[in-house]
Amino acid sequence: MADTYVLVHGAWHTGELMEPVAQHLRAQGHTVFCPTLAGNRPGDDRSATGLADAVASLVDFLREKDLQDVRLMGHSYGGMVISHAADQVAQRIRRLVYWNAFVPLDGESLNDLVPPHYVALFDGIAAANNGSVMLPYPIWREAFINDADSALAEKTYGWLNPHPYKTFTDPAKLSTPLAAMNLGKSYINCQQDTALPHSLPWHPRLSERLGLFRLVECSGSHELCFTDPKRLASAIEQAGRD
């Protein structure tokens, strides 16, 4: 059965970087969109763009395309964004799919959900770069794309763009807890993902906040979109189906 997917990228990424995954889903007959959120577009003011701006850009995209029955997938930081989209336009969404993504409670920021050493690191980077943050290469190589060889790690790092730090510090504003939302929900957990330490894991620490949800696990790192887009597409399809 052909479904509609919207793939929402994580921090430092763009929608274009999700296209290899989208191509595999399209090959299965699905309709797939890969928008780029406000704050990660060329020319965006990283010093001023906040979480609400990123959310509004996604909600506007869904409305402008008049998308219905959407399987809305969010990666990492994208989980913060799709959670708010579900709160605002639930009638357009068939299922939420979180891929190693943040699941906030009302009032929580992304920074509240990561280890303190990341917060201290990003505070310093943002202060020196007018409110934008870039992920240092050693963290990218060892924790985010640990299933790649050095050539792929270096190439993909070159595709990343500075990210607006305000989106990490702004608190979530959700009128309904995600667990109480009457939507299908799934969580994809890549088992070698160490972008968050396994002592402070994506699953089940964050996934269980969804209430009733479908768990899909597969091998791979935080950046499976680069290292094995076909495997990720298969996991997304499994997570997205009724």
Side-chain angles (χ1 to χ4, degrees), residues 10-240:
W12 305 291
H13 292 50
T14 62
E16 181 182 0
L17 298 183
M18 295 302 299
E19 278 295 327
V21 180
Q23 289 169 15
H24 287 290
L25 287 168
R26 293 182 188 121
Q28 298 301 312
H30 302 299
T31 299
V32 188
F33 299 91
C34 302
T36 298
L37 300 172
N40 294 102
R41 302 164 176 170
D44 281 351
D45 183 357
R46 269 83 172 156
S47 68
T49 303
L51 182 59
D53 301 305
V55 172
S57 70
L58 175 59
V59 169
D60 289 347
F61 182 87
L62 297 175
R63 287 173 171 158
E64 288 165 6
K65 298 288 186 183
D66 195 23
L67 299 181
Q68 307 287 340
D69 286 332
V70 170
R71 273 75 176 169
L72 184 61
M73 192 284 294
H75 175 220
S76 195
Y77 152 73
M80 300 290 293
V81 181
I82 70 168
S83 297
H84 286 81
D87 199 47
Q88 296 179 24
V89 288
Q91 71 277 11
R92 295 184 178 274
I93 300 168
R94 182 77 172 197
R95 179 172 287 267
L96 295 172
V97 178
Y98 291 76
W99 162 38
N100 287 94
F102 293 99
V103 182
L105 302 176
D106 183 52
E108 281 185 333
S109 70
L110 184 149
N111 272 2
D112 291 328
L113 302 175
V114 303
H117 69 270
Y118 273 167
V119 176
L121 173 68
F122 292 147
D123 280 349
I125 293 173
N129 291 276
N130 194 30
S132 70
V133 289
M134 191 64 187
L135 191 68
Y137 179 76
I139 296 176
W140 172 258
R141 177 69 188 104
E142 303 299 347
F144 278 65
I145 198 165
N146 44 297
D147 57 345
D149 60 25
S150 59
L152 181 61
E154 291 172 5
K155 180 172 74 170
T156 53
Y157 185 74
W159 295 342
L160 305 182
N161 70 90
H163 189 84
Y165 191 46
K166 197 170 181 292
T167 64
F168 286 7
T169 60
D170 284 349
K173 296 182 179 179
L174 300 173
S175 64
T176 304
L178 286 152
M181 290 185 186
N182 189 26
L183 290 171
K185 286 160 278 187
S186 298
Y187 204 95
I188 299 171
N189 183 49
C190 288
Q191 295 164 325
Q192 286 73 48
D193 185 338
T194 57
L196 288 183
H198 283 188
S199 60
L200 198 69
W202 300 99
H203 168 75
R205 179 179 68 106
L206 298 177
S207 58
E208 65 185 8
R209 293 174 165 203
L210 297 174
L212 182 65
F213 73 99
R214 179 185 308 158
L215 175 64
V216 176
E217 293 195 286
C218 64
S219 61
S221 72
H222 195 67
E223 297 295 338
L224 193 61
C225 55
F226 297 139
T227 58
D228 197 338
K230 183 176 182 180
R231 182 189 300 165
L232 178 57
S234 178
I236 293 171
E237 188 175 34
Q238 182 181 350

